[in-house]
Amino acid sequence: ARFVYINDAERTNAPPAGLPDNSIHTTKYTVLTFLPRNLYEQFHRVAYLYFLVLVALNMVPQLGVLTPAASVLPLAFVLGVTAVKDAYEDWRRHRSDKNENNRTASVLVGGVFVPKRWKEVQVGEVLRVVANETLPCDMVLLSTSDPTGVAYVQTINLDGESNLKTRYAKQETMPTLAEALAGVIKCERPNRNLYGFLATVDLDGRRAVSLGPSNIVLRGCELKNTAWAIGVAVYTGRDTKVMLNSSGAPSKRSRLETHMNREVIMLAVVLFLLCAIVSLLAGIWL
């Protein structure tokens, strides 16, 4: 289990816990990996491999038809334009990640809620979210503005559903002031299940209280029709359910491109057979 000490991030994150920070990264490339990885992805297009083979054959003096520059330039131009497009798209993802990581959340520090950047939020810290704000991490509700502990959230960023979901704070944690709340949450390891959560909370040695999916609010949800809600961070950054369900930036492959790959392979095989047959017949004739 993961042990989360409420309002004690230092103890929660002490070694050997190895918990990640709350920053996210959705980019595909770095400065060092851009060129090799981008070329690797581009040469998944069979047409590029076909022309690369033609360029290599043209470099052989006995087989050359065009000058080396004339054979290389068309392929280099196409590769360069595609690389610039991919670099621009990845730069936009990097900028979006930076804006997301630098958003501010209200974190309890020394008995007072102070603004803190999302990427600096740690497991075990107590956060306060107000109406229409997006949650910066996965957190267990401790109290809400509603006397019964009800909070309404919109999960359209997670599952595409626009209707509001109800989440609840346990009555055992509602009466206690956030700065005075102490205890430990024993929860399951991070997983991709958006609709499951198993945990217990032990408050100052009292009887453990069970927690379920209705007691956790996930990163990306928006608080609605609730003035405020207070919770403790249990999963951050890459451990949040929304990031675990993220497949990353995909390599775009259309059905037309897949069809073209098959056609190029067939044409290459036919061309190879024609060249082999004609060469064989020419040798026999000579």
Side-chain angles (χ1 to χ4, degrees), residues 42-60 63 65-79 82 260-261 263-265 267-269 271:
Q42 288 199 61
F43 278 109
H44 273 69
R45 298 179 176 94
V46 179
Y48 289 6
L49 286 174
Y50 173 77
F51 287 111
L52 181 63
V53 171
L54 292 184
V55 169
L57 291 175
N58 192 71
M59 297 294 180
V60 180
L63 303 177
V65 177
L66 304 172
T67 61
S71 62
V72 170
L73 280 177
L75 180 61
F77 176 78
V78 174
L79 292 174
T82 306
M260 284 180 58
N261 285 343
E263 295 291 332
V264 171
I265 292 174
L267 292 174
V269 171
L271 181 60

Side-chain angles (χ1 to χ4, degrees), residues 170 172-173 184 200-210:
K170 287 291 186 178
E172 288 81 359
T173 62
V184 59
T200 59
V201 56
D202 188 359
L203 300 172
D204 294 329
R206 289 180 284 175
R207 182 175 61 88
V209 179
S210 63

Side-chain angles (χ1 to χ4, degrees), residues 43-207:
F43 278 109
H44 273 69
R45 298 179 176 94
V46 179
Y48 289 6
L49 286 174
Y50 173 77
F51 287 111
L52 181 63
V53 171
L54 292 184
V55 169
L57 291 175
N58 192 71
M59 297 294 180
V60 180
Q62 292 80 4
L63 303 177
V65 177
L66 304 172
T67 61
S71 62
V72 170
L73 280 177
L75 180 61
F77 176 78
V78 174
L79 292 174
V81 170
T82 306
V84 170
K85 176 185 70 69
D86 292 342
Y88 175 71
E89 291 178 351
D90 206 59
W91 174 77
R92 291 185 62 182
R93 283 191 287 266
H94 173 76
R95 187 176 60 179
S96 177
D97 290 346
K98 184 177 180 181
N99 292 336
E100 184 85 356
N101 292 330
N102 287 324
R103 295 174 68 174
T104 57
S106 295
V107 179
L108 186 65
V109 178
V112 180
F113 285 100
V114 297
K116 193 174 184 179
R117 289 186 294 182
W118 279 21
K119 65 181 181 181
E120 297 172 347
V121 173
Q122 294 181 305
V123 175
E125 290 184 326
V126 175
L127 296 87
R128 185 176 189 269
V129 183
V130 298
N132 299 319
E133 272 191 350
T134 303
L135 276 75
C137 59
D138 296 352
M139 64 185 200
V140 170
L141 284 177
L142 299 176
S143 60
T144 71
S145 58
D146 189 278
T148 61
V150 177
Y152 298 94
V153 295
Q154 189 178 63
T155 60
I156 191 170
N157 292 330
L158 274 70
D159 53 19
E161 297 182 8
S162 58
N163 56 309
L164 300 183
K165 310 288 196 309
T166 54
R167 297 292 183 264
Y168 304 92
K170 287 291 186 178
Q171 291 300 314
E172 288 81 359
T173 62
M174 283 285 292
T176 311
L177 295 175
E179 58 270 20
L181 195 63
V184 59
I185 295 175
K186 302 174 186 177
C187 60
E188 59 187 352
R189 291 287 181 178
N191 59 75
R192 301 177 60 184
N193 187 3
L194 293 174
Y195 307 104
F197 179 67
L198 295 174
T200 59
V201 56
D202 188 359
L203 300 172
D204 294 329
R206 289 180 284 175
R207 182 175 61 88

